[in-house]
Amino acid sequence: MIRFLDNTLRDGSHQNKHSFDPQQVAKVAKALDTLGIDIIEVGHGNGLGASSYQIGLSKYSDREIIEAASNNIKSAKLGVHVIPGIATYKRDIEPAIKMGVNYFRVASHCTEADLTQSIIEKIKSHNIEVWGALMMSHMATINKLKNEIL
């Protein structure tokens, strides 16, 4: 089975200084859903809870963006990106689950996969699809990546 994930409404926000507005999110999410995209990932370029002076302020809150997408998706899963330490379970992940997010991609530096385990387990306890993502994998050897995955 082939599945398609579109992260334009998340990763693409790096380009526009995290300023997709709810109307843009609604329009694009609806179009992607109509096209049959399986997972639509939304939010700040660095994921849930990332809006800050250090990383970059979002023009709109995670809540506003998630709600705009959620209200315009009928078939696709609604996804978000999570980096442990930036997003927290109580402040960011739990509210996202309550707003209908049903796909989480939990990421860490490729040599720190162990940092994702507790958050992945908590999300899985809600019977929600969750994936781990190893970022910057070009910085590790094949053996190091293999050990991180296992």
Side-chain angles (χ1 to χ4, degrees), residues 10-11 14 18 41-51 55 62 80-93 103-110 112-120 123 130-136:
R10 197 262 324 148
D11 197 37
H14 288 295
H18 317 292
E41 194 174 272
V42 301
H44 186 285
N46 292 85
L48 280 179
S51 180
I55 298 173
D62 289 334
V80 293
H81 181 68
V82 172
I83 299 174
I86 293 176
T88 67
Y89 186 78
K90 285 281 184 200
R91 183 193 69 213
D92 304 301
I93 296 169
Y103 175 89
F104 286 79
R105 196 161 52 90
V106 181
S108 68
H109 187 276
C110 63
E112 299 174 337
D114 59 321
L115 299 175
T116 65
Q117 186 174 355
S118 65
I119 288 181
I120 287 173
I123 294 168
V130 58
W131 285 73
L134 298 178
M135 300 185 298
M136 307 291 288

Side-chain angles (χ1 to χ4, degrees), residues 32-100:
L32 292 169
D33 188 58
T34 301
L35 287 171
I37 298 299
D38 299 295
I39 303 163
I40 301 168
E41 194 174 272
V42 301
H44 186 285
N46 292 85
L48 280 179
S51 180
S52 66
Y53 288 110
Q54 295 85 359
I55 298 173
L57 288 171
S58 294
K59 192 169 182 182
Y60 299 92
S61 69
D62 289 334
R63 176 176 293 282
E64 290 172 293
I65 297 303
I66 290 169
E67 286 176 350
S70 180
N71 291 335
N72 288 279
I73 293 174
K74 293 181 180 158
S75 300
K77 287 192 171 203
L78 175 57
V80 293
H81 181 68
V82 172
I83 299 174
I86 293 176
T88 67
Y89 186 78
K90 285 281 184 200
R91 183 193 69 213
D92 304 301
I93 296 169
E94 211 169 55
I97 291 170
K98 290 178 182 171
M99 287 185 280

